[in-house]
Amino acid sequence: MASVAELKEKHAAATASVNSLRERLRQRRETLLDTDGEASLSSPLLVGDPLSWGSGNSRAFADCSVCVRLRGAVARYSKSQGRAPVSFNPTDLVCCRTLQGHSGKVYSLDWTPEKNWIVSASQDGRLIVWNALTSQKTHAIKLHCPWVMTCALAPNGQSVACGGLDSACSIFNLNSQADRDGNMPVSRILTGHKGYVSSCQYVPDQETRLITSSGDQTCVLWDVTTGQRISIFGGEFPSGHTADVQSVSINSSNTNMFVSGSCDTTVRLWDIRIASRAVRTYHGHEGDVNSVKFFPDGHRFGTGSDDGTCRLFDMRTGHQLQVYSREPDRNDNELPTVTSIAFSISGRLLFAGYSNGDCYVWDTLLAEVVLNLGNLQNSHDGRISCLGMSSDGSALCTGSWDKNLKIWAFSGTRKIV
Amino acid sequence: MAAGASARDYSFAAEYDGPPLPYSLPRAIPLDLSRIPLAALSSSPPASPSASSSPLPVVRPLTPSSLCSAIHAHAHPAPRSAAPAPAAGGAVVDSPTSVIENHHAAAHHSAELPSSPSDDEGAGGGPEALPLKPRHHQPAVTFAETSGSLLQSSDDEDEYEEEEDEDADAGEARPRAAAGQSSGSLSPAHWRGGRTRGCYRCGKGGGFWGRDKESCLACGARYCVGCVLRAMGSMPEGRKCLECIGRPVAESRRGALGRGSRVLRRLLSAAEVELVMRSERECAANQLRAEDVYVNGTKLSPEELVVLQGCPCPPSRLRPGFYWYDKVSGFWGKEGHKPHCIITANLNVGGSLDQKASNGNTGILINGREITKSELQMLKLAGVQCAGKPHFWVNADGTYQEEGQKTVKGKIWDKPIVKLLSPVLSLPTPNKAANQSGEDAVNIVNRVIPDYLEQRTTQKLLLVGSGASTIIKQAKFLYKSGKPFSVDEREDLKLIIQSNIYNYLIILLEGRERFEEESLADRRKISPSDPSSSGCCESGVCDEVTEYSLIPRLKAFSDWILKAMALGNLEDIFPAASREYAPLVEELWKDPAIQATYRRRSELPFLPPTANYFLDKAVDISRTEYELSDMDILYADGITSSDGLASTEFSSPQLSLGGLGVDESDAQDTLLRYQLIRINSRGLHENCKWLQMFDDVRLVIFCVAASDYDEYYEDANGTIVNKMVESRQLFESIVLHPTFEQMDFLLLLTKSDLLEQKINDSPLTSCDWFDDFTPLISRNLLSSSSKSTRSSTGATLPQMAAHYMATKFKRLFQLLTDRKLYVSYVNTLDQESVRLAIHYGREIVKWEEEKPVFGASETVYSEEPSSFTH
């Protein structure tokens, strides 16, 4: 027993030293950030149209220099450059479709670039594939395990994947025939995770590849056709997440890179070709990271967390570019957590769904709230659990615990900012 | 607002670009603010409370009939009060322009005033309201005079609508019920259908184009091809306009339910139409409302309706109304009419049959019902002696006997002429299926329950903690009599068991190595102190052989396994190769060294108690054709290979109660289903997000192994934690989880058999939490044999220990939530004990449901309802 006590002591000492080192690292990081604040912003931060809902060609951060260091510097710089914040009238973004049909909370949605289909997963144990144009259901799939947390549509729109508390990812081929009861057969079940499947996404240019994140602290790249794991990210390897992984996002411009957000408050960047270690770890959040999403240009990514903030990180330098934190309510002392985020196609707007039913539209540059979808007419009654952008950037889809999905479209009369 | 809405087009839908229309299109009239009648602002068609979301403001030209319904609706809530009635939340406010437009529309269409909706079942408010319409051509509507007369007309409806909408807000129940939620059987007040040909949204159409419209099932509003998708949205309940979602369908349109339409087929793909039709048929709001159907003078409950519609031979085209049903023979008819059809007999629906049910005057009774003349004719044709007004007793198979007599006189349907002539007299003949399955109908347990009912009637019980998976497995054995485990599940379990054998073996081998080293070390310690022992060379040989040594061949095998495990590729090797090595495994297990190790299993904390059960059968298990026995399944760790979550559903309290005093459960109980969900406690932590998914469970069953109090395990940080303390932490975090704030908890103390075995050797106080356990044991008894240790109260030590643990948890629960914790004891390997525990859980759910009715009289419920079940 003496040895146990000794070990405990040693362990405590080691923990203390690790913590002090970590603290020093953080301080060091901050001083580094402080050194060359705005002076280093030599090149123009923004060129081109910051906001374009329709065209999708312009990129707000196209010319952003890598050396944006200081937290909030983006906002200060763009203000000094005479950047006006985006302003919206309450009628500029309107709910043009309500997709009703689920009988449980909607937990996840995905909007495919093909066909304008939306897939949504709900606690009633169903996946529904919607036609966004007609707002009709095209497929309704009853799931074997009703506790579904995530769903994704394949890039070609031929199949859907979903996962949840059954610790497996089920693939359904949308072309297969339903049986007499209208149930769709599972075309493949990807098993191997030891915890719930929290998120899944198809690799954009490869129909047969899928990345899942799980409560077993790992992410896995799957070959859908064979059902085999190609590589496992994290887990036994020391640089992996140390808590449940909540979300993944694949870089659209370089599909070998993806980020994962976890309950260990960090975000990690992975290279699909190198499973053994995380390329980079991003600290900053003070709560579970619930949602990660790559910025449209693929050089940055946004995060949403339980600490009530969204953040924007630079992928390559690892620096935090911006924090989007809301003012605490006067009467409500607990900050609502961020459940899901999405970027507009230009990146100028960041949509963030909160646990209290709000959905803020942030000006990505100036970190100001442009609009709250939760206050608009016809908004959701419950928590907004998931967000998705259409591929052309013309509409946003929100899924909520009030069992409905809504499609919001820009009303189109305004000129691009 | 309306103008703003029309200026922008949010729609993806294509504009009409067909051939030029032969008539001029109606144009929006410029809005003159002074002409807007104030009253119109509040004349929102009351949305049903369930229609929570409302669409974009829709400018809908008010046609005469729709105006009628709007006014009709408006007339009810306090018509004379100066303040306009508050618009129903989020409802579409009929914009002022629509009233003005109506001025024109009404004038335009006055020639074709809509007649009342053709509703064959009921008299409606429609006709009474009709004559009022022409008065509304003036935009300055004066509601004072019209509403008075409307009120009178609506009073007539009220007597039909008395039993409706109990669920509506109490304050506004009446006016809303009258206005918006009218029963399907009676004329729906929101019915807007008429002969108007134009689209209700854009006003276009008429003439030839009138055919290409889709009408709402609830209100009858018609929409043209261009508007139907906007007006009906995603059609969660089929073809209903957005404001009608949640309303019952009009009875005249019930026949059209699920019948595809040309309009939709033109707009949507086949799969989409199919899904719309499916939801139209299957959604709860479109079902026949049970309270509209009376059988033998009694209103049906929803469950009775399901029984009626789900029977093998249901009444065809069931509509709201009054029916009589002869339970013995299965005759079914409208009240006051002769039998309409023969349905499955012996269904437990409705009240008792009245003698005057079919309004007969022949004096002859069949099963207590006076039959009609045409029936009498039929009886005569069938050769039944009807002289002297006999009273007959007719069974479902057509055999008949006179009341009070035993002899069967014959069978009505024996003569072919009866079956031939029955249709002529419009009398029913029995369906073939009806007779065969009379008995099956009683056994409603195995019936398929429609989706919409299933969700309402399934009660979910959440199982957490150790031993939960065994309970799930037991429940499967208990309630799934046919095939408790599917082939896949058995395959899964087999794999688990096969790979577990190696895990057990590895634990043993590691233990063996340790013991061997220890004993060698001991021996070395001894040998120096014993110089008289034999020479070095000899001792060198001796030293190597201890009780724990293996012969070289087995040693090699063991080293190989341990190496494979260290490399982490054990999983890849074993399930596949298990058969090959099975004899080796058995040999190893039988080897005295391993057996010696096994005897010291108390020093191997990770070796589960079930290890020897499976190791004994190692060869058996490793065969590919190995079939699991029920015991194997119970002993196996986990349920699925991923071991994330498992659930099983069961129903039928009768079955589960077995022979024991079946409480005459009402019909409701037979439909109640229970779902046991077991979640893995490993992934649970304080901020566990996915527990939110279980916010609809009714009861959390928390399992704690009573034998855990002296067991330890090593957590991720390498700290040694008492398992009981860990269970307590888990319990706390689950009880305090926001999702379960108001949830009831049932604590199950499992493994009481193990507790009994070890309580005497290992005191309960070895767990920090239980350090104040001081059982009252009388001294003289203590001094006697420990086997019969009894306290002065007569409880044995294990019982007292279990009771003490329960009290500890109860106090903790009380401290955390200020509520009461239910506790029961269970031995998970004993089926009966599990059955009792599950039954107890169900009783709690039932009790909590009924508590508000009884008043919260906690004292009624005994503090300790379940006894020890060992």
Side-chain angles (χ1 to χ4, degrees):
Chain A
M1 285 320 279
S3 68
V4 170
E6 233 169 68
L7 276 177
K8 268 186 183 168
E9 242 169 57
K10 271 187 189 165
H11 181 260
T15 317
S17 68
V18 164
N19 282 339
S20 71
L21 280 173
R22 205 172 267 162
E23 179 63 18
R24 266 177 59 196
L25 193 68
R26 200 182 58 78
Q27 281 170 0
R28 175 85 179 133
R29 196 179 277 137
E30 270 179 12
T31 53
L32 271 177
L33 287 175
D34 276 335
T35 45
D36 47 0
E38 285 159 67
S40 68
L41 296 168
S42 48
S43 69
L45 183 68
L46 278 164
V47 173
D49 281 331
L51 172 76
S52 79
W53 277 80
S55 70
N57 292 325
S58 60
R59 281 179 183 159
F61 285 87
D63 281 16
C64 176
S65 72
V66 200
C67 46
V68 182
R69 295 268 166 88
L70 191 64
R71 195 169 108 163
V74 183
R76 232 173 295 162
Y77 178 77
S78 41
K79 263 189 191 142
S80 70
Q81 294 291 302
R83 286 284 165 192
V86 183
S87 71
F88 267 36
N89 290 322
T91 53
D92 281 351
L93 201 59
V94 289
C95 168
C96 66
R97 298 261 187 288
T98 301
L99 308 180
Q100 294 170 293
H102 277 301
S103 57
K105 298 174 197 166
V106 177
Y107 263 83
S108 171
L109 71 87
D110 189 32
W111 197 331
T112 167
E114 294 270 318
K115 293 183 183 176
N116 252 310
W117 277 0
I118 297 172
V119 64
S120 63
S122 155
Q123 215 187 330
D124 60 7
R126 273 169 212 280
L127 288 185
I128 295 183
V129 181
W130 306 86
N131 182 340
L133 296 182
T134 63
S135 68
Q136 298 302 311
K137 294 172 249 186
T138 63
H139 300 82
I141 302 168
K142 190 165 187 187
L143 298 174
H144 179 65
C145 168
W147 298 280
V148 58
M149 299 172 101
T150 178
C151 58
L153 261 165
N156 59 4
Q158 298 301 309
S159 57
V160 287
C162 71
L165 289 188
D166 56 356
S167 307
C169 189
S170 313
I171 313 284
F172 294 89
N173 187 342
L174 293 180
N175 296 325
S176 55
Q177 279 297 316
D179 65 3
R180 263 182 300 133
D181 305 330
N183 292 333
M184 188 91 74
V186 187
S187 67
R188 190 163 290 284
I189 298 181
L190 310 177
T191 54
H193 274 302
K194 295 190 174 65
Y196 60 91
V197 175
S198 55
S199 153
C200 62
Q201 195 187 349
Y202 279 93
V203 180
D205 49 0
Q206 293 162 302
E207 264 87 55
T208 59
R209 299 286 167 94
L210 178 84
I211 295 180
T212 57
S213 69
S214 159
D216 63 6
Q217 312 180 359
T218 64
C219 300
V220 170
L221 173 69
W222 301 86
D223 186 328
V224 176
T225 43
T226 61
Q228 296 299 311
R229 283 179 280 190
I230 298 173
S231 35
I232 303 170
F233 306 91
E236 289 149 39
F237 299 111
S239 65
H241 283 292
T242 56
D244 303 10
V245 185
Q246 292 289 330
S247 163
V248 288
S249 175
I250 302 171
N251 191 337
S252 52
S253 54
N254 174 9
T255 55
N256 283 324
M257 309 299 275
F258 74 96
V259 286
S260 59
S262 157
C263 288
D264 62 7
T265 74
T266 65
V267 178
R268 279 165 217 254
L269 175 72
W270 303 88
D271 190 324
I272 284 177
R273 295 157 296 190
I274 313 161
S276 56
R277 61 183 178 86
V279 176
R280 187 162 280 129
T281 304
Y282 305 86
H283 296 271
H285 277 295
E286 287 144 21
D288 303 1
V289 178
N290 293 326
S291 177
V292 287
K293 196 78 88 189
F294 257 104
F295 199 77
D297 70 353
H299 296 313
R300 278 149 278 267
F301 60 87
T303 57
S305 159
D306 266 359
D307 61 14
T309 64
C310 302
R311 287 164 206 245
L312 186 69
F313 288 94
D314 189 288
M315 180 185 90
R316 289 168 295 190
T317 63
H319 289 141
Q320 180 179 304
L321 300 175
Q322 193 69 272
V323 185
Y324 310 92
S325 61
R326 45 189 290 166
E327 300 294 316
D329 287 353
R330 263 155 269 136
N331 37 13
D332 194 8
N333 40 13
E334 204 164 304
L335 270 178
T337 62
V338 182
T339 56
S340 179
I341 61 165
F343 284 105
S344 72
I345 196 108
S346 67
R348 181 67 196 267
L349 299 178
L350 167 70
F351 303 94
Y354 291 85
S355 56
N356 63 349
D358 284 345
C359 180
Y360 281 9
V361 183
W362 290 93
D363 183 331
T364 320
L365 276 180
L366 301 175
E368 284 174 17
V369 179
V370 176
L371 195 65
N372 180 0
L373 292 184
N375 292 342
L376 294 189
Q377 201 188 3
N378 301 331
S379 68
H380 286 290
D381 295 332
R383 158 186 299 204
I384 291 184
S385 53
C386 46
L387 300 168
M389 280 300 288
S390 72
S391 57
D392 63 351
S394 62
L396 170 80
C397 185
T398 55
S400 161
W401 282 12
D402 70 1
K403 305 174 185 175
N404 294 334
L405 295 110
K406 285 177 191 286
I407 300 177
W408 306 81
F410 187 60
S411 55
T413 51
R414 115 201 320 274
K415 292 274 167 279
I416 288 165
V417 181
Chain B
M1 179 194 279
S6 59
R8 295 190 198 106
D9 191 6
Y10 315 128
S11 163
F12 294 82
E15 289 263 355
Y16 175 76
D17 57 359
L21 296 167
Y23 46 82
S24 62
L25 297 176
R27 289 174 165 254
I29 315 291
L31 175 63
D32 182 359
L33 280 173
S34 62
R35 291 178 68 194
I36 300 169
L38 274 176
L41 272 175
S42 62
S43 69
S44 61
S48 71
S50 57
S52 53
S53 60
S54 56
L56 276 181
V58 176
V59 182
R60 189 178 45 244
L62 274 195
T63 52
S65 59
S66 68
L67 178 67
C68 156
S69 73
I71 292 168
H72 188 108
H74 183 65
H76 291 272
R80 277 164 223 275
S81 68
V92 180
V93 175
D94 270 356
S95 100
T97 44
S98 62
V99 174
I100 293 160
E101 274 183 273
N102 172 62
H103 170 58
H104 295 263
H108 183 70
H109 290 293
S110 55
E112 37 174 18
L113 274 178
S115 69
S116 73
S118 56
D119 192 346
D120 43 9
E121 292 296 334
E128 288 95 328
L130 270 179
L132 298 168
K133 259 172 255 158
R135 291 194 222 161
H136 286 281
H137 288 189
Q138 300 302 321
V141 181
T142 49
F143 276 109
E145 51 174 288
T146 57
S147 55
S149 53
L150 263 170
L151 264 188
Q152 276 169 7
S153 74
S154 67
D155 281 346
D156 303 337
E157 298 173 12
D158 278 358
E159 58 182 278
Y160 292 102
E161 293 168 349
E162 267 172 11
E163 55 284 308
E164 280 185 19
D165 291 308
E166 289 88 348
D167 51 344
D169 297 355
E172 352 173 287
R174 174 50 48 84
R176 279 202 184 197
Q181 286 264 49
S182 170
S183 140
S185 63
L186 314 158
S187 163
H190 51 261
W191 180 265
R192 300 189 290 177
R195 293 227 181 110
T196 322
R197 289 257 170 84
C199 168
Y200 276 65
R201 194 162 173 276
C202 64
K204 287 181 196 171
F208 175 74
W209 297 97
R211 286 199 294 157
D212 285 346
K213 296 219 170 50
E214 193 51 74
S215 56
C216 168
L217 287 168
C219 70
R222 291 192 195 172
Y223 301 101
C224 67
V225 172
C227 297
V228 65
L229 284 183
R230 288 197 191 182
M232 296 191 176
S234 56
M235 306 193 210
E237 295 177 353
R239 290 164 287 171
K240 287 182 181 177
C241 34
L242 287 169
E243 358 7 340
C244 290
I245 287 168
R247 287 179 183 161
V249 297
E251 280 311 316
S252 56
R253 306 272 293 140
R254 187 169 292 285
L257 273 184
R259 301 251 176 90
S261 76
R262 227 152 40 95
V263 176
L264 287 189
R265 246 173 278 149
R266 253 172 68 190
L267 286 168
L268 309 171
S269 71
E272 288 169 8
V273 174
E274 168 73 21
L275 282 169
V276 168
M277 292 307 147
R278 213 169 90 194
S279 48
E280 193 168 292
R281 281 190 304 268
E282 290 173 3
C283 81
N286 289 359
Q287 304 304 317
L288 194 64
R289 305 204 310 172
E291 58 265 37
D292 293 339
V293 181
Y294 289 75
V295 173
N296 296 341
T298 317
K299 219 191 313 181
L300 288 189
S301 70
E303 286 75 19
E304 283 175 318
L305 185 66
V306 173
V307 169
L308 190 62
Q309 289 183 316
C311 70
C313 194
S316 58
R317 294 166 57 97
L318 191 61
R319 295 264 180 99
F322 297 86
Y323 296 94
W324 59 264
Y325 170 52
D326 181 347
K327 283 174 197 165
V328 183
S329 64
F331 287 125
W332 173 271
K334 273 190 187 172
E335 217 153 82
H337 295 274
K338 59 189 175 187
H340 173 254
C341 57
I342 299 177
I343 65 167
T344 311
N346 297 324
L347 298 175
N348 190 19
V349 293
S352 54
L353 188 60
D354 190 66
Q355 189 178 340
K356 288 285 170 200
S358 53
N359 214 5
N361 52 3
T362 53
I364 297 169
L365 299 187
I366 285 183
N367 299 344
R369 174 183 58 92
E370 198 167 349
I371 62 174
T372 55
K373 271 187 185 154
S374 50
E375 282 175 278
L376 180 61
Q377 271 177 305
M378 177 57 60
L379 282 183
K380 281 177 181 162
L381 278 172
V384 179
Q385 284 294 336
C386 297
K389 301 191 188 300
H391 295 185
F392 288 113
W393 199 250
V394 179
N395 291 317
D397 57 357
T399 54
Y400 67 95
Q401 55 204 104
E402 262 186 68
E403 245 176 56
Q405 292 185 10
K406 266 191 174 172
T407 48
V408 173
K409 288 193 130 184
K411 216 168 174 182
I412 294 184
W413 312 114
D414 272 353
K415 284 197 180 176
I417 188 161
V418 177
K419 288 201 177 171
L420 273 175
L421 278 178
S422 283
V424 180
L425 292 165
S426 58
L427 281 175
T429 49
N431 195 321
K432 264 191 184 164
N435 293 335
Q436 295 159 355
S437 43
E439 299 85 41
D440 292 354
V442 184
N443 186 13
I444 55 171
V445 169
N446 299 324
R447 240 170 358 88
V448 182
I449 291 187
D451 253 7
Y452 64 94
L453 261 174
E454 191 180 327
Q455 291 201 334
R456 204 175 57 194
T457 52
T458 303
Q459 310 258 20
K460 295 179 179 167
L461 314 176
L462 192 68
L463 271 167
V464 199
S466 66
S469 56
T470 320
I471 293 180
I472 281 273
K473 286 184 240 173
Q474 285 282 19
K476 283 195 175 190
F477 283 126
L478 274 169
Y479 302 109
K480 301 225 164 149
S481 42
K483 261 198 164 228
F485 289 89
S486 68
V487 178
D488 284 351
E489 284 171 314
R490 281 177 179 269
E491 260 327 288
D492 253 3
L493 280 170
K494 196 166 127 184
L495 257 175
I496 291 173
I497 292 173
Q498 287 177 347
S499 58
N500 270 351
I501 285 186
Y502 290 93
N503 290 333
Y504 302 150
L505 205 61
I506 284 165
I507 295 170
L508 281 173
L509 289 174
E510 280 175 339
R512 185 201 66 81
E513 275 191 353
R514 203 174 79 216
F515 295 152
E516 187 177 30
E517 275 167 30
E518 276 172 14
S519 66
L520 281 177
D522 283 350
R523 200 172 293 186
R524 284 201 196 94
K525 245 186 247 168
I526 298 165
S527 46
S529 64
D530 187 11
S532 66
S533 75
S534 41
C536 307
C537 56
E538 201 184 324
S539 76
V541 177
C542 284
D543 271 356
E544 296 304 314
V545 184
T546 67
E547 194 185 352
Y548 304 105
S549 301
L550 286 171
I551 58 168
R553 189 168 57 91
L554 289 178
K555 182 88 172 76
F557 179 60
S558 118
D559 286 346
W560 181 63
I561 291 182
L562 288 176
K563 200 172 141 200
M565 193 209 56
L567 289 173
N569 54 4
L570 194 68
E571 277 175 38
D572 305 335
I573 301 174
F574 275 107
S578 58
R579 190 158 51 132
E580 205 176 313
Y581 297 108
L584 262 179
V585 168
E586 202 193 15
E587 199 178 331
L588 205 57
W589 167 241
K590 296 251 170 76
D591 192 272
I594 295 295
Q595 284 296 325
T597 313
Y598 183 70
R599 276 194 293 279
R600 289 174 65 179
R601 62 181 172 276
S602 56
E603 294 166 55
L604 301 169
F606 303 108
L607 192 67
T610 52
N612 69 328
Y613 175 85
F614 287 116
L615 283 170
D616 278 339
K617 308 170 68 171
V619 175
D620 245 8
I621 288 169
S622 305
R623 281 184 300 134
T624 24
E625 62 270 26
Y626 160 62
E627 287 281 332
L628 293 167
S629 73
D630 289 357
M631 218 50 195
D632 294 347
I633 291 177
L634 281 185
Y635 272 120
D637 292 346
I639 300 165
T640 57
S641 45
S642 60
D643 207 19
L645 176 138
S647 67
T648 180
E649 266 188 48
F650 59 93
S651 61
S652 69
Q654 285 93 342
L655 265 188
S656 59
L657 279 168
L660 315 174
V662 180
D663 47 348
E664 273 309 317
S665 44
D666 35 359
Q668 213 174 349
D669 254 19
T670 57
L671 281 174
L672 269 185
R673 285 173 159 248
Y674 296 89
Q675 187 179 26
L676 275 176
I677 308 159
R678 174 258 180 184
I679 53 175
N680 197 339
S681 49
R682 197 178 44 208
L684 286 173
H685 49 89
E686 261 172 64
N687 191 18
C688 180
K689 287 188 186 107
W690 50 267
L691 270 185
Q692 285 165 344
M693 290 195 162
F694 297 100
D695 57 352
D696 56 344
V697 301
R698 296 300 312 274
L699 177 74
V700 179
I701 302 177
F702 192 89
C703 305
V704 173
S707 57
D708 271 356
Y709 66 93
D710 66 342
E711 287 175 20
Y712 296 86
Y713 89 111
E714 199 176 347
D715 71 1
N717 300 331
T719 339
I720 306 291
V721 184
N722 183 296
K723 278 189 183 171
M724 186 56 87
V725 174
E726 197 227 354
S727 290
R728 186 186 65 177
Q729 278 161 0
L730 182 66
F731 181 72
E732 278 175 8
S733 68
I734 289 183
V735 166
L736 290 177
H737 198 277
T739 311
F740 296 140
E741 235 166 19
Q742 294 303 318
M743 200 70 67
D744 293 305
F745 275 78
L746 166 66
L747 180 78
L748 282 186
L749 281 171
T750 59
K751 299 194 182 161
S752 41
D753 49 336
L754 283 179
L755 177 75
E756 252 174 278
Q757 281 171 24
K758 66 169 155 191
I759 186 75
N760 287 318
D761 307 327
S762 155
L764 198 62
T765 45
S766 56
C767 170
D768 296 342
W769 193 29
F770 298 140
D771 53 2
D772 57 347
F773 177 61
T774 45
L776 282 170
I777 297 168
S778 60
R779 209 167 284 266
N780 49 358
L781 276 175
L782 193 63
S783 56
S784 71
S785 84
S786 63
K787 211 174 184 184
S788 60
T789 314
R790 279 177 178 277
S791 74
S792 47
T793 53
T796 59
L797 185 62
Q799 282 174 350
M800 281 191 296
H803 189 84
Y804 170 82
M805 284 187 232
T807 322
K808 272 294 210 191
F809 272 103
K810 277 183 175 180
R811 277 202 203 123
L812 179 68
F813 190 74
Q814 175 92 28
L815 201 73
L816 294 172
T817 66
D818 217 22
R819 279 177 295 132
K820 233 170 65 75
L821 175 72
Y822 299 92
V823 182
S824 185
Y825 309 91
V826 70
N827 176 3
T828 49
L829 292 180
D830 176 14
Q831 213 169 63
E832 181 65 14
S833 152
V834 171
R835 196 183 62 74
L836 283 173
I838 292 174
H839 180 65
Y840 182 44
R842 240 173 22 212
E843 291 290 309
I844 294 170
V845 172
K846 223 192 265 174
W847 157 251
E848 290 294 333
E849 244 169 33
E850 289 164 357
K851 203 156 73 175
V853 184
F854 289 142
S857 47
E858 296 260 335
T859 45
V860 177
Y861 217 64
S862 82
E863 195 58 31
E864 201 60 50
S866 101
S867 58
F868 290 87
T869 51
H870 289 310

